[in-house]
Amino acid sequence: MLRRIAFVIFFSSVALNFAWLGFMSFDWKIIPAALIAWYLADALSGVIHMYMDYRPCTENVGLGQLFFYEGSRESEEYLSMRRAAMARISFFERVVFDFKNHHPRPLALGRRSFIYQTTSIMVFVFPLSVLLNIVCSLWTLPSWLLVGLDILLLGMILTQYFHGTLHRDDNPWIIHAMRKTTLLMTPTMHDIHHATLDRDFATINGWSNPAVNIIFNYFKQQGKMDRSGLEPN
């Protein structure tokens, strides 16, 4: 219930940011600003995904046993092990583990609820939306800048939801429509990441993958992208 209330407040904050546009005149720069913001949201999804995939998990807290567990993940044994392990790590470390746990079980993300998929991101994005509310109440921003910031916020909060749609067939019509316009990537495009785990980390539209791949390869050459980090010990 508390999560649902938090989401209502968050999206009300985003809606308020868009509402400020009603007091502004149309500016042709809105369209390129929206596309640039959508690209930046995709790039952020890729960079964060890359970091989470390769960041080592906390050791000796039971995450390795969870990751390699061979029985039913709905069993009381597994759920008890998970509760014990999660209680020993921070919220951020739980998110890191979920990113790694997604690779051998990609379809699990598609079965998650919208609230589950977006909660971890909302913790960071919600303060940014409130800050934009405050800025808009004190100053008049250019309409193109406000649209760009709003699109960026929406892209950030929906990153994992879009990621989840790549791992299930039953999606809303708007997801299919956005894929046809390349505003969202297709499952085939995302399959490249799962087949390699060292490229194409973006999860929204993939526009930024060439740039993110360059960043990854640079850090890999510096010895900072050890594949041992892909799995918890």
Side-chain angles (χ1 to χ4, degrees):
M1 177 61 71
L2 290 177
R3 286 187 178 185
R4 293 180 182 274
I5 294 174
F7 270 85
V8 170
I9 295 174
F10 170 76
F11 282 105
S12 296
S13 172
V14 175
L16 178 59
N17 287 325
F18 274 105
W20 290 106
L21 291 170
F23 300 96
M24 303 176 183
S25 58
F26 178 79
D27 187 337
W28 67 269
K29 294 189 289 292
I30 284 177
I31 296 176
L35 293 174
I36 292 172
W38 204 235
Y39 175 92
L40 292 176
D42 185 64
L44 283 173
S45 78
V47 171
I48 293 172
H49 191 175
M50 175 182 69
Y51 174 76
M52 294 294 193
D53 278 0
Y54 281 83
R55 185 187 191 280
C57 284
T58 303
E59 298 182 355
N60 304 318
V61 294
L63 297 180
Q65 291 89 330
L66 290 178
F67 188 86
F68 295 106
Y69 188 81
E70 296 183 353
S72 170
R73 291 173 182 266
E74 296 181 358
S75 67
E76 184 54 39
E77 179 185 41
Y78 175 81
L79 295 176
S80 177
M81 290 170 56
R82 181 177 175 84
R83 285 193 294 268
M86 295 299 113
R88 300 176 67 183
I89 59 178
S90 66
F91 173 80
F92 177 75
E93 290 291 342
R94 294 172 203 164
V95 177
V96 172
F97 174 74
D98 281 345
F99 267 84
K100 302 180 194 309
N101 201 36
H102 163 68
H103 289 144
R105 287 164 286 276
L107 297 181
L109 181 61
R111 294 192 293 267
R112 302 291 191 182
S113 69
F114 176 85
I115 290 180
Y116 182 94
Q117 291 169 335
T118 53
T119 294
S120 60
I121 305 172
M122 191 188 71
V123 171
F124 302 100
V125 177
F126 179 60
L128 297 178
S129 182
V130 173
L131 178 61
L132 185 55
N133 291 154
I134 296 172
V135 170
C136 288
S137 67
L138 297 175
W139 298 283
T140 301
L141 297 180
S143 57
W144 62 267
L145 178 59
L146 182 56
V147 168
L149 292 173
D150 283 335
I151 294 296
L152 180 60
L153 288 174
L154 282 177
M156 292 169 64
I157 193 64
L158 295 174
T159 294
Q160 279 298 80
Y161 170 73
F162 290 143
H163 190 180
T165 65
L166 295 167
H167 296 293
R168 65 168 180 263
D169 296 325
D170 184 19
N171 288 304
W173 66 268
I174 192 170
I175 298 297
H176 300 291
M178 292 179 73
R179 285 176 181 170
K180 290 181 178 179
T181 62
T182 73
L183 289 173
L184 291 180
M185 67 195 309
T186 64
T188 301
M189 294 170 63
H190 186 57
D191 285 345
I192 297 174
H193 170 70
H194 280 268
T196 61
L197 299 183
D198 62 3
R199 58 172 294 185
D200 294 2
F201 295 90
T203 58
I204 297 180
N205 50 52
W207 297 350
S208 68
N209 272 330
V212 175
N213 289 342
I214 291 174
I215 295 173
F216 173 83
N217 289 328
Y218 170 78
F219 284 111
K220 183 178 179 180
Q221 292 172 1
Q222 302 300 311
K224 300 184 182 299
M225 292 295 170
D226 190 333
R227 289 185 73 89
S228 64
L230 290 169
E231 296 179 347
N233 294 324

